[in-house]
Amino acid sequence: NGTVHVVISATKQLIMSDVEVEEPVIASEEEEEFVAEQGATEVKLFGKWSFDDIEIRDISLVDYIACKGDHATYLPHTAGRYQKKRFRKASCPIVERLACTLMRKGRNSGKKLMAVRIVQHTLEIIHLLTDQNPVQVVVDAIINSGPREDSTRVGGAGVVRRQAVDMSPFRRVNYALYLIATGAREASFRNLKTMAECLAEELVNAARGSSNSYAIKKKDEIERVSKSNR
């Protein structure tokens, strides 16, 4: 038994001497920086479009156009329950809200994956047309398309007159999305142009403030009517 024990201990020593002990590798500063940069992954829409440099140029709409911080998403499909409480949809990412407004007219209702695909193609086309971040173009279009004044019906018992009223910032965003989606839908109906092409054109024109945009034309009309009813 004693001899066996000596043999085993000797073989252990031989094995230990054969194994080289690896020294810890000290990374250079550049490598450490690179690792840190890779670790902090930036959230980009569809893996392409950054939210970091998005600027909301209208101070009144900052709280209602959700595209920064927690509202930056990889896809415009968060499956959030934004209709459960009043004003909760203000925290829905703005590109997702655009996708949701496309799902209208019965035959399109509920087809969110189709709407997301249309939005994805739209952003690609906008980038080709303008060479800008398409999310910024969408935000500018929404800011420009929302009417700032509207007219409401006042009076009863058969005497009805229109009274001009200011529009709340939240309603401005909602109305802008509605007008943009409606303009794109009407442009692509019975047309060779795809929905994505029409939506891209509508958004680019609206972002420029051009009257070729359906949304800008409607906005100007609403504001003109309300001005005459002040």
Side-chain angles (χ1 to χ4, degrees):
N1 274 355
T3 53
V4 171
H5 186 70
V6 170
V7 170
I8 289 170
S9 59
T11 49
K12 272 187 184 174
Q13 283 177 347
L14 279 170
I15 291 164
M16 289 297 288
S17 62
D18 286 347
V19 175
E20 292 178 8
V21 179
E22 290 185 9
E23 293 179 9
V25 180
I26 299 162
S28 65
E29 286 180 17
E30 288 178 9
E31 284 175 5
E32 278 177 10
E33 281 175 20
F34 178 71
V35 170
E37 283 173 17
Q38 289 293 97
T41 51
E42 182 190 343
V43 176
K44 291 184 176 181
L45 186 64
F46 296 114
K48 282 185 94 168
W49 316 117
S50 170
F51 289 98
D52 287 354
D53 50 352
I54 301 300
E55 187 185 350
I56 300 171
R57 297 187 176 92
D58 189 330
I59 195 169
S60 64
L61 301 181
V62 170
D63 294 338
Y64 298 105
I65 296 179
C67 61
K68 293 251 189 196
D70 295 341
H71 306 299
T73 54
Y74 290 104
L75 279 178
H77 195 314
T78 58
R81 296 162 68 189
Y82 298 108
Q83 303 303 321
K84 283 287 168 192
K85 236 189 174 80
R86 193 177 176 198
F87 293 113
R88 189 175 286 176
K89 63 182 180 183
S91 61
C92 179
I94 197 67
V95 182
E96 180 171 359
R97 292 199 65 193
L98 178 65
C100 291
T101 52
L102 298 177
M103 300 193 295
R104 277 191 53 239
K105 290 288 187 196
R107 60 182 184 173
N108 299 323
S109 58
K111 299 181 184 178
K112 190 158 184 179
L113 294 181
M114 183 177 79
V116 168
R117 196 188 67 238
I118 289 169
V119 168
Q120 184 176 5
H121 293 170
T122 299
L123 297 181
E124 297 282 358
I125 294 167
I126 289 172
H127 181 64
L128 291 174
L129 289 175
T130 61
D131 209 31
Q132 288 176 287
N133 185 343
V135 181
Q136 182 67 62
V137 175
V138 170
V139 168
D140 291 347
I142 288 166
I143 289 169
N144 290 344
S145 305
R148 290 158 294 190
E149 194 179 23
D150 200 356
S151 49
T152 185
R153 291 159 63 100
V154 173
V159 185
V160 176
R161 56 184 284 268
R162 310 278 289 188
Q163 173 63 43
V165 290
D166 292 336
M167 205 180 254
S168 75
F170 193 34
R171 184 166 158 83
R172 279 179 63 191
V173 173
N174 299 345
Y175 217 96
L177 287 165
Y178 164 76
L179 290 176
I180 287 166
T182 306
R185 187 182 301 107
E186 288 186 8
S188 68
F189 189 63
R190 292 193 180 166
N191 195 345
L192 288 173
K193 269 190 177 177
T194 63
M195 183 65 181
E197 288 169 340
C198 292
L199 183 58
E201 200 175 330
E202 177 71 31
L203 286 166
V204 168
N205 285 333
R208 290 180 182 147
S210 161
S211 58
N212 292 338
S213 159
Y214 172 92
I216 297 287
K217 265 191 286 201
K218 281 286 182 190
K219 172 204 170 188
D220 291 343
E221 185 187 327
I222 290 165
E223 288 183 351
R224 193 172 61 249
V225 169
S226 62
K227 188 176 180 183
S228 66
N229 290 321
R230 277 179 188 164

